[in-house]
């Protein structure tokens, strides 16, 4: 069993091309002994967005706070607090905060995607 206190996982700003106003905290990963998946917390400032990108693993997302738009090559989906989202492997996508406050969501990926 692992227990990680919330104050031990402070989100860090992401500085990759195409990302604006995005921070990430790695909550449980291989470093903590997770055998197959990683759980991360993302926070996007108002107007913030992740880069338009793709990779060969899925995202399982649960929205904790705020509202946003998941843009994909297969269409767009608005979302809000309490919604769940699935981004398929190899699907071009990005997340955009469309609200006035911060957007917070949990993102679970295979360990190779962390």
């Amino acid at each position: 069993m692992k227990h990680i206190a919330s104050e031990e996982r402070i989100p860090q700003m992401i500085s990759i091309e195409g990302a604006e106003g995005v921070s990430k905290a790695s909550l449980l990963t291989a470093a903590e002994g997770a055998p197959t998946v990683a759980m991360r917390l993302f926070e996007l400032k108002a107007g913030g967005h992740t880069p338009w990108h793709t990779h060969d693993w899925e995202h399982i997302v649960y929205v904790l706070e705020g509202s946003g738009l998941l843009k994909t090559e297969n269409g767009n989906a608005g979302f809000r607090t309490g919604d769940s989202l699935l981004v398929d492997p190899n699907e071009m996508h990005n997340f955009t905060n469309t609200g006035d406050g911060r957007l917070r969501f949990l993102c679970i990926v295979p360990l190779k995607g962390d």
Side-chain angles (χ1 to χ4, degrees):
M1 183 193 73
K2 295 288 181 185
H3 172 246
I4 311 297
S6 61
E7 60 272 7
E8 294 180 46
R9 298 291 187 232
I10 299 169
Q12 302 296 315
M13 292 303 294
I14 294 177
S15 60
I16 58 174
E17 185 175 344
E20 184 174 320
V22 180
S23 63
K24 174 182 126 179
S26 295
L27 303 179
L28 290 169
T29 67
E32 291 77 35
T36 59
V37 297
M39 180 170 59
R40 301 97 48 86
L41 170 65
F42 284 87
E43 294 186 2
L44 282 66
K45 295 179 179 178
H49 57 83
T50 63
W52 180 247
H53 67 289
T54 188
H55 35 69
D56 65 352
W57 56 84
E58 70 277 9
H59 284 301
I60 296 172
V61 172
Y62 180 75
V63 183
L64 298 169
E65 177 183 348
S67 59
L69 183 66
L70 170 59
K71 298 177 187 177
T72 78
E73 63 187 298
N74 299 309
N76 301 332
F79 60 84
R80 61 191 167 120
T81 302
D83 288 356
S84 300
L85 304 160
L86 173 65
V87 178
D88 291 323
N90 301 307
E91 184 175 36
M92 290 292 295
H93 64 281
N94 91 322
F95 294 88
T96 300
N97 182 347
T98 58
D100 295 330
R102 71 179 176 176
L103 168 62
R104 298 176 75 226
F105 59 86
L106 294 175
C107 180
I108 299 169
V109 296
L111 287 179
K112 71 178 181 176
D114 183 44

